[in-house]
Amino acid sequence: MIYENSAGVILYRQLQESREYLLLHYPGGHFDFPKGHLEKDENDREAAYRELQEETGISEIVWIEGYSEKINYVYRHASNMMSKDVTFFLARTAQKKVTISHEHQGFLWLPYKEAYEKLSFDTAKNLLKKAEQFLKK
């Protein structure tokens, strides 16, 4: 088995009385958060920020301290079994404009309930649920 480390961001915009979360539409058809591999000498948060910028064009964020969640999943890539650890952070932005990378086919800003329903994987749904509960504290 091959092991990978990645990092990502659960990004939201605070509206007057609600929040909207950013979901990316991946070529495989699924919706998920911005994330990607750690590069040499990067820590998790640095990688998450770089990936967010590369995948969305968003650079103006405020990290929400105290939220960090790690997930693991296993998948097959070519003939190899892969085990991936992904650490997610929570951040807020006021930027509306999203410029998606060639790695994606679209994006959505959605309120919590709609974002929860749109996310493709249970791990992502659990991350969003924990983020929303964290923000309500």
Side-chain angles (χ1 to χ4, degrees):
M1 186 164 309
I2 298 171
Y3 296 91
E4 299 181 296
N5 286 311
S6 291
V9 180
I10 300 167
L11 186 69
Y12 72 94
R13 294 185 310 177
Q14 185 67 50
L15 305 177
Q16 286 185 342
E17 296 189 20
S18 65
R19 281 182 281 280
E20 288 185 337
Y21 292 92
L22 179 64
L23 305 183
L24 297 182
H25 193 191
Y26 285 76
H30 64 281
F31 284 86
D32 205 349
F33 301 112
K35 66 181 183 300
H37 302 335
L38 273 68
E39 291 185 356
K40 186 180 179 188
D41 299 326
E42 274 185 325
N43 66 37
D44 289 340
R45 189 179 275 194
E46 290 167 341
Y49 182 65
R50 178 185 49 75
E51 287 291 340
L52 178 68
Q53 288 180 302
E54 290 175 1
E55 294 183 352
T56 69
I58 294 175
S59 60
E60 297 171 21
I61 66 170
V62 175
W63 295 109
I64 306 303
E65 298 301 328
Y67 182 97
S68 172
E69 292 286 332
K70 185 179 274 191
I71 64 168
N72 174 273
Y73 56 93
V74 176
Y75 65 99
R76 181 176 297 280
H77 179 70
S79 60
N80 297 313
M81 289 303 294
M82 310 290 287
S83 176
K84 183 182 271 196
D85 286 332
V86 187
T87 303
F88 281 93
F89 300 95
L90 182 58
R92 180 180 69 239
T93 189
Q95 283 184 254
K96 288 183 177 183
K97 185 178 181 199
V98 176
T99 305
I100 58 167
S101 72
H102 67 280
E103 299 175 56
H104 305 93
Q105 58 188 33
F107 70 93
L108 297 169
W109 284 106
L110 294 173
Y112 170 75
K113 199 171 194 176
E114 287 89 341
Y116 185 87
E117 292 301 318
K118 195 72 168 172
L119 286 165
S120 301
F121 304 114
D122 288 341
T123 51
K125 289 179 185 229
N126 289 334
L127 287 167
L128 179 62
K129 186 176 181 179
K130 287 179 181 179
E132 181 72 5
Q133 289 170 346
F134 187 87
L135 290 169
K136 285 184 175 180
K137 288 182 184 178

